[in-house]
Amino acid sequence: MFCATCPSAAAGTAKIVILMSSRPSPRLVAAIVAIFLTASCAQNPVTGKSDFVIVSEEQELRMGRAYDQQVKKDSPVYDNKNGDDPGLAAYVEGIGQKLARHSHRSALDYRFTLLDSPDVNAFALPGGFIYVTRGILAYLNSEAELAAVIGHEIGHVTARHSVRQISAEQGANVGLTIASLFIPGLRNQAVGNLSNIATGALLSGYGREHELEADRLGAEYLARTGYPTQAMINVIGVLKNQETFDAQLAREENRPPRAYHGLFASHPDNDTRLKEVVGEASRAASSGAVVSTGDNRDAFLSKLDGTVFADNASQGVLRGNTFFHPELGLVMRFAGDWRVQNRPDRLRAVAPGGEATIEVLLEKYVDGSLPQDVLKRKIDVDGEIDISPVNGHPAAIANVRGANVRAGSIYVSSGAQGKAFVLVGQARSAELFRRHLHAFNSTFQTMRAFAEVDRKDSQPLRIRIIRATAATRYAELAKSSPLGNRAQSQLRLLNAQYPAGEPVPGQKLKVIE
């Protein structure tokens, strides 16, 4: 939205008092909207131009602090409580602060947090709260690439992309909000819309222009700090390779593919506009004398050596198709040809071709209740409920009326702790349901309590750094890898040699042990 002229801060804040009749004229409503929009412009810290923003900087900071608490509640921070982090979080923080000092909003109190998540992700909240997952670190190959990830997110903050997006969505709802002052029936709808705007704007992501601007700003901050700007293109190449790999998996699992950067139809090496904005940033930042730091590949790989890969023990660990969760006290096994996904709120397995799925969720444990009580609360039971114990634990399983679904519940006791789990098996058709019914039942029958003998198998995988020889090939490394039948592709992704590269003698490689 275009703001022709914004009143300066020195003019003060206008207080507008309007005495309304019961039926205001359309001209008055339009005038209110115009006053609202005109009073909501601010100077963009990057461009110096006026932007339409409803959120002040103080509100931006408060919003960031509030969402920061929620993020850390939903996703644990990667720290050294279990000996996992020998300085990696501090390393991320140090790089972030170095870049932030050279940004367009250097006075902000930036916070850089390393999340204990296997997801390939990084994101920023309003006010300078920036998050990097250990999952994305695994696929980077130099300190410069890590700096590019962080610089891109700082770019979103300095350009106030989230604030501009929230403001745009609020602006679109101004008409509804003002109309609700005069039409009581619209009031609840307006309140509901406004209360969800901030969350919706943050979750909906950015468009190509905002992403390109963040790439340009991130590259500029790299150059100002002495890192090579090519690292920005390298990082987007890493994400594009992830996207390509996931598209292949998505076809096999009959699901929509995930988008990691999501805005480039081709590989970034072939994206002319991306190359232009990174080149512009490099030239713009090269006017001052900057000492080159290089890409610091060796330093980065040294920090990465020993980092947890994929699931951590606190989130449950997959070994092949067996799932171990020490904290929840659960062990279970899926059919060997099913692909298992460990998500924050559930465990999900997908049959070949996406013909069927099994999901396992933690249910609230109620003293005195029985597994069949859980089922009756959750589903419309079709026929009798089988309440035969499973591995000595109270259990119940039944079909769902009118659906190709089989659901079970089980109370698993591990020590003094009792947990209730619900398993839901679903197929795309009645024929596929009959075909996969045995898999539903047999998976349910494997559920048992975690035991001390499971402790060794429940340890997380870790990244190890080795040096390639003339004989090193990914096919050979894959044979001893715990990554399963896609180990070759995964190892190439980890080492920036996807889809068909091979190690060079003397090259430091990431492997998984």
Side-chain angles (χ1 to χ4, degrees):
M1 190 173 294
F2 176 70
C3 298
T5 305
C6 293
S8 67
T13 303
K15 292 185 179 180
I16 303 171
V17 180
I18 302 174
L19 299 177
M20 298 181 180
S21 66
S22 59
R23 297 180 63 84
S25 69
R27 183 175 298 176
L28 177 58
V29 174
I32 296 170
V33 175
I35 292 169
F36 177 82
L37 296 182
T38 304
S40 301
C41 294
Q43 187 179 60
N44 185 293
V46 172
T47 65
K49 297 178 181 179
S50 295
D51 284 334
F52 168 66
V53 289
I54 292 174
V55 181
S56 69
E57 185 166 289
E58 179 54 37
Q59 290 172 320
E60 180 186 357
L61 295 173
R62 287 203 303 269
M63 190 184 303
R65 286 191 290 267
Y67 280 115
D68 175 65
Q69 294 177 12
Q70 187 61 46
V71 168
K72 291 175 180 175
K73 180 180 178 182
D74 294 340
S75 300
V77 174
Y78 192 65
D79 55 30
N80 207 31
K81 290 180 181 177
N82 298 315
D84 287 337
D85 171 27
L88 189 59
Y91 179 64
V92 170
E93 171 78 17
I95 294 169
Q97 294 298 345
K98 182 165 60 172
L99 291 161
R101 286 194 294 272
H102 293 277
S103 75
H104 291 85
R105 300 178 74 186
S106 57
L108 276 181
D109 182 16
Y110 287 87
R111 309 289 176 86
F112 300 91
T113 302
L114 180 59
L115 297 178
D116 189 8
S117 168
D119 294 338
V120 178
N121 198 14
F123 59 96
L125 293 180
F129 293 86
I130 292 173
Y131 308 85
V132 178
T133 63
R134 61 171 173 79
I136 197 172
L137 294 188
Y139 293 91
L140 304 179
N141 280 279
S142 71
E143 184 178 299
E145 290 182 6
L146 172 57
V149 170
I150 297 172
H152 175 96
E153 299 307 328
I154 292 175
H156 281 308
V157 173
T158 57
R160 301 192 82 195
H161 286 157
S162 59
V163 169
R164 288 156 63 185
Q165 192 154 311
I166 291 167
S167 297
E169 294 199 22
Q170 283 182 329
N173 280 269
V174 166
L176 173 63
T177 305
I178 292 177
S180 72
L181 297 174
F182 316 127
I183 307 172
L186 292 178
R187 287 176 186 165
N188 290 339
Q189 183 180 347
V191 171
N193 279 2
L194 289 174
S195 66
N196 291 318
I197 282 171
T199 301
L202 291 172
L203 293 179
S204 60
Y206 300 110
R208 178 170 169 82
E209 288 307 311
H210 279 180
E211 291 291 354
L212 277 171
E213 185 175 30
D215 292 336
R216 178 181 63 79
L217 291 170
E220 185 174 335
Y221 304 151
L222 287 177
R224 290 181 182 182
T225 315
Y227 291 110
T229 55
Q230 176 64 30
M232 183 63 70
I233 295 177
N234 293 346
V235 161
I236 299 172
V238 168
L239 299 179
K240 189 63 184 179
N241 287 338
Q242 287 282 339
E243 190 176 272
T244 302
F245 178 64
D246 188 71
Q248 177 186 342
L249 297 183
R251 286 192 295 270
E252 295 174 8
E253 297 169 9
N254 194 36
R255 62 166 172 81
R258 289 183 285 272
Y260 292 91
H261 194 284
L263 302 169
F264 297 98
S266 61
H267 196 277
D269 286 343
N270 302 319
D271 192 285
T272 302
R273 184 70 182 118
L274 175 64
K275 288 182 176 180
E276 286 176 355
V277 300
V278 171
E280 290 168 6
S282 182
R283 289 189 294 274
S286 62
S287 55
V290 178
V291 178
S292 173
T293 63
D295 66 5
N296 284 352
R297 173 179 164 81
D298 286 349
F300 175 77
L301 292 179
S302 176
K303 285 290 184 184
L304 205 60
D305 195 14
T307 302
V308 171
F309 180 77
D311 302 317
N312 210 340
S314 61
Q315 301 146 1
V317 170
L318 279 165
R319 285 289 176 270
N321 270 31
T322 302
F323 178 71
F324 300 88
H325 203 309
E327 291 190 9
L328 295 182
L330 176 70
V331 178
M332 65 181 301
R333 186 176 65 257
F334 296 87
D337 56 350
W338 287 51
R339 177 171 168 78
V340 185
Q341 305 158 347
N342 187 10
R343 297 181 173 178
D345 61 340
R346 68 194 61 204
L347 190 63
R348 189 171 192 265
V350 183
E355 295 178 351
T357 60
I358 294 174
E359 292 192 339
V360 183
L361 305 92
L362 180 65
E363 181 67 20
K364 184 176 181 181
Y365 186 88
V366 179
D367 288 336
S369 66
L370 299 171
Q372 52 266 42
D373 299 328
V374 173
L375 274 192
K376 290 175 182 177
R377 287 200 305 269
K378 290 285 184 182
I379 67 171
D380 183 7
V381 175
D382 184 12
E384 294 186 0
I385 300 176
D386 182 352
I387 58 172
S388 303
V390 170
N391 295 313
H393 306 296
I397 189 168
N399 290 342
V400 177
R401 191 183 307 279
N404 303 310
V405 178
R406 187 155 176 83
S409 63
I410 183 171
Y411 285 0
V412 176
S413 297
S414 181
Q417 296 294 319
K419 302 288 183 183
F421 298 94
V422 171
L423 178 145
V424 179
Q426 183 171 9
R428 296 208 313 256
S429 68
E431 179 183 350
L432 292 174
F433 180 77
R434 289 189 293 271
R435 183 185 305 172
H436 291 288
L437 183 59
H438 175 73
F440 298 156
N441 290 333
S442 60
T443 300
F444 188 62
Q445 292 297 321
T446 68
M447 300 177 77
R448 63 175 176 84
F450 184 90
E452 194 57 38
V453 295
D454 300 312
R455 190 70 58 185
K456 181 179 179 181
D457 290 329
S458 67
Q459 295 304 303
L461 300 175
R462 294 187 183 271
I463 297 170
R464 298 299 178 192
I465 307 300
I466 66 169
R467 193 176 291 276
T469 68
T472 305
R473 293 291 182 271
Y474 285 118
E476 289 301 312
L477 293 174
K479 289 179 181 178
S480 58
S481 174
L483 296 176
N485 58 7
R486 296 185 179 89
Q488 280 196 62
S489 293
Q490 285 276 48
L491 289 169
R492 286 191 171 99
L493 283 169
L494 286 166
N495 292 287
Q497 292 182 304
Y498 183 84
E502 290 293 349
V504 176
Q507 176 186 350
K508 287 186 176 180
L509 293 176
K510 287 175 280 184
V511 296
I512 306 302
E513 296 179 352

